[in-house]
Amino acid sequence: METTDEESRWFTPNQALTITERVGLLAGRWDEALMFLLAAYTGMRFGEVRGLERQYARLGAILVQWQLREVRGVFIQAPPKHNGRRTIPLPPFLAELMSDQLRRTKPGTCGCEGHQGDYLFRPTSRPGSLVADHYSRTGFANQFFRPAADGRLVKKGERERSRIMVDADGRYVPRRRGGRRWSGPRRGR
């Protein structure tokens, strides 16, 4: 990441695309990868991406009207930070990806109390797991972003923070203990 004099951090385009690919592999589907890519290229905050309703995703632009905030485990719809309602133009490649997202996702409102919306980015439940209608900020960061950005699982309970590898299908590959490790291509003799 590059920094400016004010210590703001920005991803380079290559870093954003690399992390996007890794998020998609870890999640096992494109929606989570597109969430990250949309935030990286537009500057939208996580709550704004999480709270993006179908009606505000327009051809070539995003209307930021709301964010979904999590307060004590309950999601509420709130105005964007600093009342930052705005229209964000999308680069052509991202407009095409968002159009595809609109086609692929089924319309439908979430089952939360206190707000109702047809949100474009919602987790899917996996067999044996309980998933809310929206990602928590910490859950998304620990499950997808941090491992994608720095290659480490976040410490959770008994599990130590450790390096991970993911195969092409998005499954965690156990790290071998001991033995010889590959250290890169051999140099000419």
Side-chain angles (χ1 to χ4, degrees):
M1 284 188 253
E2 295 179 8
T3 59
T4 65
D5 293 339
E6 296 143 3
E7 294 300 317
S8 296
R9 295 182 187 184
W10 298 95
F11 292 106
T12 66
N14 188 44
Q15 289 169 328
L17 292 173
T18 301
I19 293 171
T20 297
E21 179 182 40
R22 291 175 182 171
V23 167
L25 286 172
L26 287 164
R29 62 187 204 134
W30 174 243
D31 296 47
E32 289 78 3
L34 185 55
M35 283 178 72
F36 174 77
L37 189 64
L38 184 63
Y41 272 84
T42 63
M44 292 173 71
R45 295 174 180 86
F46 183 75
E48 295 169 345
V49 174
R50 174 176 55 194
L52 179 60
E53 293 181 73
R54 182 177 300 278
Q55 65 180 331
Y56 298 122
R58 305 282 168 86
L59 185 61
I62 297 291
L63 303 177
V64 178
Q65 296 295 314
W66 303 104
Q67 66 172 321
L68 274 183
R69 297 178 89 183
E70 186 178 8
V71 180
R72 291 184 214 103
V74 176
F75 291 97
I76 60 169
Q77 199 175 44
K81 190 174 182 179
H82 307 299
N83 203 19
R85 289 187 167 99
R86 60 202 183 277
T87 300
I88 302 173
L90 298 176
F93 84 94
L94 195 50
E96 188 174 324
L97 293 174
M98 288 301 296
S99 291
D100 182 56
Q101 180 74 6
L102 283 163
R103 282 190 302 273
R104 282 186 316 99
T105 57
K106 296 178 184 172
T109 57
C110 65
C112 298
E113 292 182 31
H115 72 91
Q116 297 234 334
D118 182 6
Y119 299 100
L120 279 178
F121 300 107
R122 293 185 21 212
T124 59
S125 59
R126 296 184 176 132
S129 69
L130 295 174
V131 178
D133 274 348
H134 309 286
Y135 280 111
S136 72
R137 178 186 199 88
T138 304
F140 189 89
N142 290 347
Q143 191 173 0
F144 304 122
F145 178 71
R146 289 304 308 248
D150 67 10
R152 292 185 179 270
L153 284 173
V154 176
K155 182 178 176 177
K156 182 177 182 180
E158 298 287 321
R159 180 183 77 198
E160 291 295 318
R161 186 167 194 243
S162 61
R163 282 221 175 270
I164 63 164
M165 293 189 308
V166 178
D167 68 11
D169 294 325
R171 293 181 299 239
Y172 293 113
V173 176
R175 187 172 175 193
R176 291 186 307 181
R177 301 285 179 209
R180 186 181 159 130
R181 292 200 172 108
W182 185 74
S183 60
R186 290 183 172 212
R187 306 224 190 261
R189 293 183 182 201

